[in-house]
mmCIF file of all heavy atoms in Angstrom:
data_model
loop_
_atom_site.group_PDB
_atom_site.id
_atom_site.type_symbol
_atom_site.label_atom_id
_atom_site.label_comp_id
_atom_site.label_asym_id
_atom_site.label_seq_id
_atom_site.Cartn_x
_atom_site.Cartn_y
_atom_site.Cartn_z
ATOM 1 N N TYR A 74 -38.048 -113.059 28.804
ATOM 2 C CA TYR A 74 -37.050 -112.133 29.341
ATOM 3 C C TYR A 74 -35.940 -112.906 30.036
ATOM 4 O O TYR A 74 -36.175 -113.932 30.673
ATOM 5 C CB TYR A 74 -37.687 -111.170 30.345
ATOM 6 C CG TYR A 74 -36.662 -110.352 31.123
ATOM 7 C CD1 TYR A 74 -35.986 -109.304 30.519
ATOM 8 C CD2 TYR A 74 -36.352 -110.675 32.448
ATOM 9 C CE1 TYR A 74 -35.026 -108.575 31.214
ATOM 10 C CE2 TYR A 74 -35.389 -109.955 33.150
ATOM 11 C CZ TYR A 74 -34.727 -108.901 32.523
ATOM 12 O OH TYR A 74 -33.777 -108.184 33.213
ATOM 13 N N HIS A 75 -34.716 -112.374 29.901
ATOM 14 C CA HIS A 75 -33.570 -112.946 30.612
ATOM 15 C C HIS A 75 -32.620 -111.814 30.974
ATOM 16 O O HIS A 75 -32.302 -110.965 30.131
ATOM 17 C CB HIS A 75 -32.838 -113.966 29.736
ATOM 18 C CG HIS A 75 -31.604 -114.531 30.360
ATOM 19 N ND1 HIS A 75 -31.646 -115.484 31.360
ATOM 20 C CD2 HIS A 75 -30.282 -114.272 30.147
ATOM 21 C CE1 HIS A 75 -30.415 -115.796 31.717
ATOM 22 N NE2 HIS A 75 -29.562 -115.066 31.002
ATOM 23 N N ARG A 76 -32.184 -111.797 32.237
ATOM 24 C CA ARG A 76 -31.175 -110.810 32.635
ATOM 25 C C ARG A 76 -29.812 -111.398 32.355
ATOM 26 O O ARG A 76 -29.422 -112.429 32.897
ATOM 27 C CB ARG A 76 -31.293 -110.442 34.117
ATOM 28 C CG ARG A 76 -30.446 -109.211 34.454
ATOM 29 C CD ARG A 76 -30.358 -108.932 35.938
ATOM 30 N NE ARG A 76 -29.697 -107.661 36.172
ATOM 31 C CZ ARG A 76 -28.386 -107.419 36.028
ATOM 32 N NH1 ARG A 76 -27.586 -108.403 35.641
ATOM 33 N NH2 ARG A 76 -27.886 -106.218 36.255
ATOM 34 N N LEU A 77 -29.071 -110.744 31.476
ATOM 35 C CA LEU A 77 -27.773 -111.247 31.042
ATOM 36 C C LEU A 77 -26.740 -111.184 32.163
ATOM 37 O O LEU A 77 -26.719 -110.228 32.949
ATOM 38 C CB LEU A 77 -27.278 -110.438 29.842
ATOM 39 C CG LEU A 77 -28.118 -110.555 28.568
ATOM 40 C CD1 LEU A 77 -27.704 -109.491 27.565
ATOM 41 C CD2 LEU A 77 -27.997 -111.950 27.967
ATOM 42 N N THR A 78 -25.886 -112.198 32.207
ATOM 43 C CA THR A 78 -24.764 -112.252 33.144
ATOM 44 C C THR A 78 -23.489 -112.471 32.337
ATOM 45 O O THR A 78 -23.550 -112.782 31.133
ATOM 46 C CB THR A 78 -24.934 -113.403 34.156
ATOM 47 O OG1 THR A 78 -24.639 -114.650 33.489
ATOM 48 C CG2 THR A 78 -26.350 -113.440 34.723
ATOM 49 N N PRO A 79 -22.313 -112.355 32.955
ATOM 50 C CA PRO A 79 -21.065 -112.617 32.217
ATOM 51 C C PRO A 79 -20.968 -114.028 31.659
ATOM 52 O O PRO A 79 -20.155 -114.287 30.773
ATOM 53 C CB PRO A 79 -19.982 -112.363 33.273
ATOM 54 C CG PRO A 79 -20.602 -111.421 34.245
ATOM 55 C CD PRO A 79 -22.045 -111.818 34.310
ATOM 56 N N ARG A 80 -21.773 -114.954 32.162
ATOM 57 C CA ARG A 80 -21.778 -116.332 31.662
ATOM 58 C C ARG A 80 -22.525 -116.469 30.330
ATOM 59 O O ARG A 80 -22.386 -117.478 29.640
ATOM 60 C CB ARG A 80 -22.412 -117.267 32.699
ATOM 61 C CG ARG A 80 -21.571 -117.445 33.947
ATOM 62 C CD ARG A 80 -20.396 -118.334 33.671
ATOM 63 N NE ARG A 80 -19.471 -118.418 34.805
ATOM 64 C CZ ARG A 80 -18.278 -118.984 34.724
ATOM 65 N NH1 ARG A 80 -17.882 -119.508 33.583
ATOM 66 N NH2 ARG A 80 -17.485 -119.019 35.768
ATOM 67 N N ASP A 81 -23.353 -115.477 29.998
ATOM 68 C CA ASP A 81 -24.119 -115.506 28.741
ATOM 69 C C ASP A 81 -23.244 -114.935 27.635
ATOM 70 O O ASP A 81 -23.035 -113.725 27.554
ATOM 71 C CB ASP A 81 -25.404 -114.697 28.886
ATOM 72 C CG ASP A 81 -26.277 -115.203 30.028
ATOM 73 O OD1 ASP A 81 -26.417 -116.430 30.152
ATOM 74 O OD2 ASP A 81 -26.798 -114.368 30.788
ATOM 75 N N LYS A 82 -22.735 -115.788 26.774
ATOM 76 C CA LYS A 82 -21.690 -115.379 25.824
ATOM 77 C C LYS A 82 -22.243 -114.936 24.469
ATOM 78 O O LYS A 82 -21.659 -114.061 23.820
ATOM 79 C CB LYS A 82 -20.696 -116.526 25.619
ATOM 80 C CG LYS A 82 -19.981 -116.955 26.899
ATOM 81 C CD LYS A 82 -19.205 -115.800 27.518
ATOM 82 C CE LYS A 82 -18.465 -116.232 28.773
ATOM 83 N NZ LYS A 82 -17.723 -115.107 29.399
ATOM 84 N N PHE A 83 -23.320 -115.542 24.008
ATOM 85 C CA PHE A 83 -23.844 -115.177 22.681
ATOM 86 C C PHE A 83 -25.294 -115.641 22.553
ATOM 87 O O PHE A 83 -25.767 -116.506 23.300
ATOM 88 C CB PHE A 83 -22.986 -115.790 21.558
ATOM 89 C CG PHE A 83 -22.738 -117.264 21.703
ATOM 90 C CD1 PHE A 83 -23.689 -118.201 21.312
ATOM 91 C CD2 PHE A 83 -21.550 -117.736 22.250
ATOM 92 C CE1 PHE A 83 -23.468 -119.556 21.459
ATOM 93 C CE2 PHE A 83 -21.305 -119.089 22.403
ATOM 94 C CZ PHE A 83 -22.272 -120.002 22.002
ATOM 95 N N LEU A 84 -25.974 -115.047 21.576
ATOM 96 C CA LEU A 84 -27.353 -115.417 21.246
ATOM 97 C C LEU A 84 -27.390 -115.806 19.780
ATOM 98 O O LEU A 84 -26.911 -115.059 18.914
ATOM 99 C CB LEU A 84 -28.297 -114.234 21.496
ATOM 100 C CG LEU A 84 -29.784 -114.468 21.193
ATOM 101 C CD1 LEU A 84 -30.410 -115.384 22.243
ATOM 102 C CD2 LEU A 84 -30.539 -113.136 21.140
ATOM 103 N N ILE A 85 -27.949 -116.980 19.490
ATOM 104 C CA ILE A 85 -28.117 -117.444 18.105
ATOM 105 C C ILE A 85 -29.591 -117.296 17.733
ATOM 106 O O ILE A 85 -30.460 -117.831 18.414
ATOM 107 C CB ILE A 85 -27.704 -118.915 17.938
ATOM 108 C CG1 ILE A 85 -26.285 -119.145 18.445
ATOM 109 C CG2 ILE A 85 -27.832 -119.348 16.482
ATOM 110 C CD1 ILE A 85 -25.897 -120.618 18.528
ATOM 111 N N ILE A 86 -29.881 -116.560 16.660
ATOM 112 C CA ILE A 86 -31.249 -116.430 16.144
ATOM 113 C C ILE A 86 -31.263 -117.065 14.760
ATOM 114 O O ILE A 86 -30.465 -116.684 13.890
ATOM 115 C CB ILE A 86 -31.699 -114.964 16.045
ATOM 116 C CG1 ILE A 86 -31.385 -114.197 17.328
ATOM 117 C CG2 ILE A 86 -33.197 -114.885 15.751
ATOM 118 C CD1 ILE A 86 -31.632 -112.699 17.222
ATOM 119 N N GLY A 87 -32.134 -118.039 14.542
ATOM 120 C CA GLY A 87 -32.128 -118.734 13.250
ATOM 121 C C GLY A 87 -33.515 -119.105 12.770
ATOM 122 O O GLY A 87 -34.422 -119.340 13.578
ATOM 123 N N SER A 88 -33.670 -119.151 11.460
ATOM 124 C CA SER A 88 -34.913 -119.673 10.878
ATOM 125 C C SER A 88 -34.907 -121.190 11.009
ATOM 126 O O SER A 88 -33.877 -121.799 11.301
ATOM 127 C CB SER A 88 -35.031 -119.249 9.412
ATOM 128 O OG SER A 88 -33.930 -119.734 8.660
ATOM 129 N N ASP A 89 -36.066 -121.807 10.788
ATOM 130 C CA ASP A 89 -36.157 -123.251 11.059
ATOM 131 C C ASP A 89 -35.313 -124.080 10.106
ATOM 132 O O ASP A 89 -35.044 -125.243 10.368
ATOM 133 C CB ASP A 89 -37.610 -123.726 11.079
ATOM 134 C CG ASP A 89 -38.255 -123.742 9.699
ATOM 135 O OD1 ASP A 89 -37.797 -122.981 8.820
ATOM 136 O OD2 ASP A 89 -39.225 -124.492 9.510
ATOM 137 N N GLY A 90 -34.849 -123.469 8.993
ATOM 138 C CA GLY A 90 -33.942 -124.189 8.107
ATOM 139 C C GLY A 90 -32.670 -124.613 8.810
ATOM 140 O O GLY A 90 -32.096 -125.664 8.499
ATOM 141 N N LEU A 91 -32.221 -123.806 9.777
ATOM 142 C CA LEU A 91 -31.041 -124.180 10.576
ATOM 143 C C LEU A 91 -31.387 -125.278 11.564
ATOM 144 O O LEU A 91 -30.675 -126.280 11.681
ATOM 145 C CB LEU A 91 -30.505 -122.958 11.316
ATOM 146 C CG LEU A 91 -29.340 -123.232 12.277
ATOM 147 C CD1 LEU A 91 -28.075 -123.586 11.504
ATOM 148 C CD2 LEU A 91 -29.091 -122.045 13.198
ATOM 149 N N TRP A 92 -32.515 -125.086 12.276
ATOM 150 C CA TRP A 92 -32.857 -125.996 13.369
ATOM 151 C C TRP A 92 -33.369 -127.345 12.862
ATOM 152 O O TRP A 92 -33.440 -128.308 13.630
ATOM 153 C CB TRP A 92 -33.867 -125.334 14.299
ATOM 154 C CG TRP A 92 -33.410 -123.971 14.730
ATOM 155 C CD1 TRP A 92 -33.964 -122.776 14.414
ATOM 156 C CD2 TRP A 92 -32.256 -123.673 15.546
ATOM 157 N NE1 TRP A 92 -33.251 -121.742 14.970
ATOM 158 C CE2 TRP A 92 -32.200 -122.262 15.668
ATOM 159 C CE3 TRP A 92 -31.289 -124.449 16.170
ATOM 160 C CZ2 TRP A 92 -31.202 -121.619 16.403
ATOM 161 C CZ3 TRP A 92 -30.294 -123.812 16.893
ATOM 162 C CH2 TRP A 92 -30.252 -122.416 17.008
ATOM 163 N N ASP A 93 -33.708 -127.425 11.556
ATOM 164 C CA ASP A 93 -34.034 -128.726 10.960
ATOM 165 C C ASP A 93 -32.797 -129.612 10.873
ATOM 166 O O ASP A 93 -32.905 -130.840 10.798
ATOM 167 C CB ASP A 93 -34.595 -128.546 9.541
ATOM 168 C CG ASP A 93 -36.014 -127.993 9.536
ATOM 169 O OD1 ASP A 93 -36.683 -128.058 10.590
ATOM 170 O OD2 ASP A 93 -36.444 -127.493 8.480
ATOM 171 N N LEU A 94 -31.610 -128.979 10.874
ATOM 172 C CA LEU A 94 -30.368 -129.717 10.634
ATOM 173 C C LEU A 94 -29.536 -129.953 11.880
ATOM 174 O O LEU A 94 -28.800 -130.942 11.959
ATOM 175 C CB LEU A 94 -29.519 -128.960 9.596
ATOM 176 C CG LEU A 94 -30.169 -128.765 8.225
ATOM 177 C CD1 LEU A 94 -29.312 -127.843 7.355
ATOM 178 C CD2 LEU A 94 -30.372 -130.109 7.527
ATOM 179 N N ILE A 95 -29.604 -129.035 12.853
ATOM 180 C CA ILE A 95 -28.835 -129.208 14.084
ATOM 181 C C ILE A 95 -29.689 -128.797 15.285
ATOM 182 O O ILE A 95 -30.603 -127.982 15.162
ATOM 183 C CB ILE A 95 -27.513 -128.401 14.087
ATOM 184 C CG1 ILE A 95 -27.782 -126.920 13.822
ATOM 185 C CG2 ILE A 95 -26.524 -128.963 13.105
ATOM 186 C CD1 ILE A 95 -26.526 -126.060 13.933
ATOM 187 N N SER A 96 -29.357 -129.327 16.445
ATOM 188 C CA SER A 96 -30.089 -129.016 17.672
ATOM 189 C C SER A 96 -29.549 -127.723 18.286
ATOM 190 O O SER A 96 -28.425 -127.294 17.975
ATOM 191 C CB SER A 96 -29.929 -130.157 18.676
ATOM 192 O OG SER A 96 -28.597 -130.181 19.182
ATOM 193 N N PRO A 97 -30.313 -127.092 19.160
ATOM 194 C CA PRO A 97 -29.819 -125.889 19.850
ATOM 195 C C PRO A 97 -28.489 -126.115 20.572
ATOM 196 O O PRO A 97 -27.594 -125.268 20.499
ATOM 197 C CB PRO A 97 -30.953 -125.565 20.824
ATOM 198 C CG PRO A 97 -32.184 -126.079 20.152
ATOM 199 C CD PRO A 97 -31.740 -127.338 19.465
ATOM 200 N N LEU A 98 -28.344 -127.259 21.263
ATOM 201 C CA LEU A 98 -27.106 -127.510 21.991
ATOM 202 C C LEU A 98 -25.933 -127.706 21.028
ATOM 203 O O LEU A 98 -24.819 -127.231 21.284
ATOM 204 C CB LEU A 98 -27.255 -128.735 22.901
ATOM 205 C CG LEU A 98 -26.051 -129.042 23.804
ATOM 206 C CD1 LEU A 98 -25.694 -127.832 24.677
ATOM 207 C CD2 LEU A 98 -26.339 -130.264 24.680
ATOM 208 N N GLN A 99 -26.175 -128.395 19.905
ATOM 209 C CA GLN A 99 -25.114 -128.539 18.904
ATOM 210 C C GLN A 99 -24.673 -127.171 18.396
ATOM 211 O O GLN A 99 -23.478 -126.911 18.243
ATOM 212 C CB GLN A 99 -25.610 -129.384 17.728
ATOM 213 C CG GLN A 99 -25.664 -130.878 17.989
ATOM 214 C CD GLN A 99 -26.235 -131.612 16.781
ATOM 215 O OE1 GLN A 99 -27.315 -131.306 16.294
ATOM 216 N NE2 GLN A 99 -25.487 -132.583 16.279
ATOM 217 N N ALA A 100 -25.633 -126.310 18.118
ATOM 218 C CA ALA A 100 -25.324 -124.980 17.602
ATOM 219 C C ALA A 100 -24.500 -124.184 18.613
ATOM 220 O O ALA A 100 -23.511 -123.529 18.254
ATOM 221 C CB ALA A 100 -26.613 -124.233 17.258
ATOM 222 N N VAL A 101 -24.897 -124.247 19.879
ATOM 223 C CA VAL A 101 -24.175 -123.522 20.926
ATOM 224 C C VAL A 101 -22.746 -124.049 21.041
ATOM 225 O O VAL A 101 -21.779 -123.271 21.144
ATOM 226 C CB VAL A 101 -24.924 -123.629 22.268
ATOM 227 C CG1 VAL A 101 -24.036 -123.213 23.439
ATOM 228 C CG2 VAL A 101 -26.187 -122.766 22.245
ATOM 229 N N ARG A 102 -22.575 -125.361 21.020
ATOM 230 C CA ARG A 102 -21.228 -125.928 21.127
ATOM 231 C C ARG A 102 -20.368 -125.537 19.932
ATOM 232 O O ARG A 102 -19.174 -125.262 20.077
ATOM 233 C CB ARG A 102 -21.325 -127.445 21.249
ATOM 234 C CG ARG A 102 -21.784 -127.905 22.631
ATOM 235 C CD ARG A 102 -22.010 -129.394 22.685
ATOM 236 N NE ARG A 102 -22.313 -129.846 24.051
ATOM 237 C CZ ARG A 102 -22.794 -131.034 24.348
ATOM 238 N NH1 ARG A 102 -23.036 -131.908 23.375
ATOM 239 N NH2 ARG A 102 -23.046 -131.367 25.605
ATOM 240 N N LEU A 103 -20.970 -125.516 18.742
ATOM 241 C CA LEU A 103 -20.225 -125.123 17.550
ATOM 242 C C LEU A 103 -19.746 -123.676 17.640
ATOM 243 O O LEU A 103 -18.601 -123.364 17.311
ATOM 244 C CB LEU A 103 -21.092 -125.311 16.300
ATOM 245 C CG LEU A 103 -21.257 -126.747 15.808
ATOM 246 C CD1 LEU A 103 -22.367 -126.844 14.782
ATOM 247 C CD2 LEU A 103 -19.936 -127.259 15.214
ATOM 248 N N VAL A 104 -20.637 -122.780 18.091
ATOM 249 C CA VAL A 104 -20.244 -121.376 18.221
ATOM 250 C C VAL A 104 -19.229 -121.211 19.349
ATOM 251 O O VAL A 104 -18.284 -120.422 19.239
ATOM 252 C CB VAL A 104 -21.478 -120.476 18.457
ATOM 253 C CG1 VAL A 104 -21.054 -119.031 18.719
ATOM 254 C CG2 VAL A 104 -22.410 -120.525 17.248
ATOM 255 N N GLY A 105 -19.404 -121.980 20.430
ATOM 256 C CA GLY A 105 -18.434 -121.936 21.520
ATOM 257 C C GLY A 105 -17.053 -122.362 21.067
ATOM 258 O O GLY A 105 -16.043 -121.716 21.397
ATOM 259 N N GLU A 106 -16.970 -123.461 20.292
ATOM 260 C CA GLU A 106 -15.688 -123.912 19.748
ATOM 261 C C GLU A 106 -15.111 -122.876 18.787
ATOM 262 O O GLU A 106 -13.910 -122.630 18.748
ATOM 263 C CB GLU A 106 -15.872 -125.250 19.021
ATOM 264 C CG GLU A 106 -16.151 -126.417 19.952
ATOM 265 C CD GLU A 106 -16.483 -127.685 19.179
ATOM 266 O OE1 GLU A 106 -16.435 -127.634 17.926
ATOM 267 O OE2 GLU A 106 -16.797 -128.708 19.814
ATOM 268 N N HIS A 107 -16.005 -122.251 18.012
ATOM 269 C CA HIS A 107 -15.567 -121.223 17.075
ATOM 270 C C HIS A 107 -14.964 -120.037 17.817
ATOM 271 O O HIS A 107 -13.961 -119.461 17.377
ATOM 272 C CB HIS A 107 -16.756 -120.768 16.220
ATOM 273 C CG HIS A 107 -16.402 -119.793 15.143
ATOM 274 N ND1 HIS A 107 -16.513 -118.428 15.305
ATOM 275 C CD2 HIS A 107 -15.921 -119.977 13.895
ATOM 276 C CE1 HIS A 107 -16.131 -117.825 14.196
ATOM 277 N NE2 HIS A 107 -15.768 -118.738 13.326
ATOM 278 N N MET A 108 -15.562 -119.670 18.956
ATOM 279 C CA MET A 108 -15.018 -118.585 19.770
ATOM 280 C C MET A 108 -13.586 -118.899 20.198
ATOM 281 O O MET A 108 -12.699 -118.051 20.121
ATOM 282 C CB MET A 108 -15.872 -118.374 21.025
ATOM 283 C CG MET A 108 -17.124 -117.563 20.828
ATOM 284 S SD MET A 108 -18.051 -117.403 22.366
ATOM 285 C CE MET A 108 -16.902 -116.478 23.368
ATOM 286 N N SER A 109 -13.361 -120.131 20.639
ATOM 287 C CA SER A 109 -12.018 -120.533 21.097
ATOM 288 C C SER A 109 -11.025 -120.521 19.948
ATOM 289 O O SER A 109 -9.897 -120.032 20.084
ATOM 290 C CB SER A 109 -12.063 -121.932 21.715
ATOM 291 O OG SER A 109 -12.947 -121.959 22.809
#
């Protein structure tokens, strides 16, 4: 459980095929850059 705050911008849900190729932090940074 997590109580969302305005700092929580997005949630990434992925099968292990994604996580075999990139780390969670890489994925978050990529989506963050994509948002900008």
